[in-house]
Amino acid sequence: MKEILRVIRDGGLLSKGDIANKVGIQESALDSILSLLSSKGYLKTIDSTVEMPRGCIGCPISKECMRKASGSTVYTITDKGSNIGYYIPDGVIEKIEEALETKQEWT
């Protein structure tokens, strides 16, 4: 989870496939993890036609990136997610690993 958040935070505008490849997991597993991270407040989705991730503000190609992302789900890291490298609540990693192993839906 930490690595996924780092990739999203530091990687610019990436597809789910790019993120999955960088962290070495299947895209279907990534979908579940993104959903969990979003539900727990580590990520949020944005409407790329209305706003852009904080890290993109001031980038000379940000408008082009957002135009390419139009129609796709764009995740941006929250303040809580930015601090993930320092703290993950007890039990979260175990719940993810268990759900991935048993292919359960996140709760």
Side-chain angles (χ1 to χ4, degrees):
M1 261 189 2
K2 289 180 188 180
E3 187 61 23
I4 292 169
L5 288 171
R6 281 190 202 106
V7 167
I8 292 170
R9 184 189 64 210
D10 301 336
L13 189 63
L14 301 169
S15 70
K16 287 181 185 177
D18 291 338
I19 296 168
N21 288 337
K22 285 181 181 273
V23 297
I25 62 173
Q26 293 181 354
E27 199 170 328
S28 59
L30 178 63
D31 285 333
S32 296
I33 293 169
L34 292 174
S35 178
L36 175 70
L37 290 170
S38 190
S39 73
K40 298 293 184 186
Y42 295 103
L43 295 175
K44 73 173 188 170
T45 58
I46 62 169
D47 178 350
S48 62
T49 63
V50 177
E51 63 179 313
M52 67 178 63
R54 253 184 297 178
C56 296
I57 296 170
C59 175
I61 63 168
S62 61
K63 288 181 182 174
E64 181 64 25
C65 284
M66 291 296 101
R67 192 169 32 257
K68 286 181 181 178
S70 182
S72 300
T73 301
V74 176
Y75 290 94
T76 187
I77 199 158
T78 64
D79 289 337
K80 182 178 178 180
S82 294
N83 296 322
I84 194 74
Y86 308 106
Y87 172 72
I88 294 180
D90 291 337
V92 171
I93 291 176
E94 292 80 8
K95 283 180 94 174
I96 291 171
E97 290 172 346
E98 178 183 322
L100 288 173
E101 288 174 9
T102 60
K103 297 182 181 175
Q104 293 176 354
E105 291 295 314
W106 298 108
T107 56

